[in-house]
Amino acid sequence: MSNAPTLPAVSREWHLLSRPVGWPEPGDFALVEAEIRQPGEGQVLVRNVYVSVDPYMRGRMSAAKSYVAPFELNKPMQGGAVGEVVVSHAEGIEPGDHILHFFGWREYAVVDARNAVKVDPEAAPLSAYLGVLGMTGLTAYAGLLRTAAFKEGDSVFVSGAAGAVGSQVGQIARLKGASRVVGSAGSDEKVKLLVEEYGFDAAFNYRNGPVGKQLRAAAPDGIDVYFDNVGGEHLEAAIGSLNRGGRIAVCGMISVYNDTEPAPGPKNLARLIQTRGRIEGFLVNDHHDLQPQFVEEVGAWVRSGALKYRETVVEGIENNLEAFLGVLRGENIGKMVVRL
């Protein structure tokens, strides 16, 4: 328990003013000042140190029903954040502790202690709890090992492979004994990173030609697993290269998030009949039972250097929106976070 320390009077926070049509525009958002309130019983006041921006947030800006509620207009947006507790009225959490929570897009937040997870800045950098050891990492782990039912010897293709999730999927597949790991990315710099730093067997720049043709060249014996972060042309190409009994785990489809008309589906779905292939979507929220196993296994890989990760760090709450738009444009290498 703690008496309140000296705090600024206001906290800056991002509000959604209107629902974007197509690409989000700066006028759809506002950075506003709000009075910092004291926590009640069972709550803590946290000063955010890092906040996360992620592709799925684009879906929450629309009013359409989805797996998570839309952002409310004229109220602060939400997202993963890690910060330092400055006032606590919750048992087991003290000022100076660091917690992971879901009230990002703002400088200060009042958080119910039951919705906070204490993290250790000595065990890993704070930003890692938003990426490689956080929801991003668990998404990669669960999607590859459970949804795609990866097994040793599988040939794996990952789209968006230089992003936070994709880069981890490819490395986990390699560490688990994949026969071949192939990735796609949107620049020659990212392609080089995939092969030279993350250990992919092959990678290609999808902007350099048809995805199907480049995938066949990179994986001439076909693929057993496709981890989809992109959708569109990538999904069609993966179906075209799928081996018998192949599995496709659909994590995201960033290529269509800003479309104003429904995107056409793959033209070759009938090929799933001949390959006995399977496509399955998944959400990380359905796989929290894997969290202890994930932290133990991936944490050991990170500490030993066997699994590498990159972050793109943007400075300042005032640049939170531009960081988010950068993710949609594919400007990040690894996890995009904002340091406040």
Side-chain angles (χ1 to χ4, degrees):
M1 304 296 171
S2 165
N3 295 320
T6 303
L7 295 170
V10 295
S11 167
R12 291 178 294 172
E13 56 189 34
W14 281 96
H15 287 203
L16 183 66
L17 302 184
S18 57
R19 303 204 180 279
V21 177
W23 275 88
E25 299 288 342
D28 296 322
F29 308 86
L31 182 61
V32 304
E33 291 186 343
E35 182 181 353
I36 295 177
R37 63 185 181 89
Q38 290 297 313
E41 192 63 33
Q43 295 182 322
V44 299
L45 175 67
V46 58
R47 178 183 62 82
N48 286 334
V49 179
Y50 288 95
V51 300
S52 177
V53 288
D54 302 280
Y56 80 88
M57 294 173 175
R58 176 61 185 87
R60 296 197 68 188
M61 293 171 187
S62 300
K65 286 186 177 179
S66 183
Y67 59 88
V68 62
F71 290 133
E72 294 185 60
L73 295 181
N74 302 303
K75 291 190 176 179
M77 294 188 291
Q78 299 168 343
V82 63
E84 182 181 357
V85 174
V86 290
V87 180
S88 176
H89 295 308
E91 209 170 314
I93 300 179
E94 300 294 332
D97 287 346
H98 291 84
I99 62 168
L100 178 67
H101 62 93
F102 208 66
F103 292 92
W105 290 83
R106 68 198 83 181
E107 292 175 306
Y108 285 82
V110 172
V111 180
D112 287 345
R114 67 176 183 273
N115 296 328
V117 177
K118 284 173 68 170
V119 297
D120 183 1
E122 300 297 323
L126 285 176
S127 56
Y129 294 104
L130 295 175
V132 66
L133 294 178
M135 183 179 73
T136 301
L138 182 58
T139 299
Y141 191 85
L144 177 68
L145 301 183
R146 178 174 281 173
T147 306
F150 170 86
K151 58 184 184 298
E152 188 175 352
D154 279 344
S155 175
V156 177
F157 171 45
V158 188
S159 59
V165 173
S167 59
Q168 205 156 335
V169 171
Q171 291 184 83
I172 293 171
R174 177 176 54 79
L175 290 163
K176 290 282 192 178
S179 61
R180 189 166 183 79
V181 179
V182 175
S184 73
S187 73
D188 293 341
E189 175 195 10
K190 290 180 179 179
V191 166
K192 185 178 180 183
L193 174 73
L194 292 177
V195 175
E196 295 184 0
E197 185 166 331
Y198 294 150
F200 283 60
D201 296 291
F204 59 86
N205 182 345
Y206 66 82
R207 302 183 197 274
N208 287 349
V211 175
K213 183 177 180 180
Q214 294 195 78
L215 177 57
R216 285 191 295 274
D221 296 325
I223 60 172
D224 303 299
V225 167
Y226 171 47
F227 193 103
D228 190 15
N229 290 305
V230 174
E233 185 186 0
H234 278 79
L235 178 55
E236 188 166 298
I239 293 171
S241 284
L242 206 62
N243 291 331
R244 180 169 174 170
R247 290 88 65 206
I248 295 174
V250 181
C251 175
M253 292 192 175
I254 197 170
S255 70
V256 302
Y257 284 173
N258 295 302
D259 289 356
T260 55
E261 298 292 331
K267 297 189 292 288
N268 58 348
L269 280 173
R271 194 169 185 276
L272 294 174
I273 301 169
Q274 99 188 53
T275 61
R276 290 74 152 178
R278 173 171 63 83
I279 300 179
E280 183 179 344
F282 75 98
L283 294 173
V284 67
N285 291 343
D286 297 333
H287 302 284
H288 284 305
D289 61 297
L290 290 176
Q291 180 80 19
Q293 174 185 326
F294 156 72
V295 170
E296 181 179 351
E297 189 165 24
V298 175
W301 285 334
V302 170
R303 286 190 295 274
S304 71
L307 191 148
K308 299 175 172 59
Y309 69 98
R310 291 276 195 103
E311 295 174 336
T312 301
V313 181
V314 171
E315 299 286 345
I317 186 72
E318 64 276 7
N319 293 314
N320 217 98
L321 176 60
E322 186 54 36
F324 167 70
L325 296 175
V327 170
L328 296 184
R329 293 191 292 258
E331 294 173 357
N332 56 304
I333 294 178
K335 182 75 182 77
M336 178 79 89
V337 295
V338 180
R339 180 164 50 207
L340 307 189

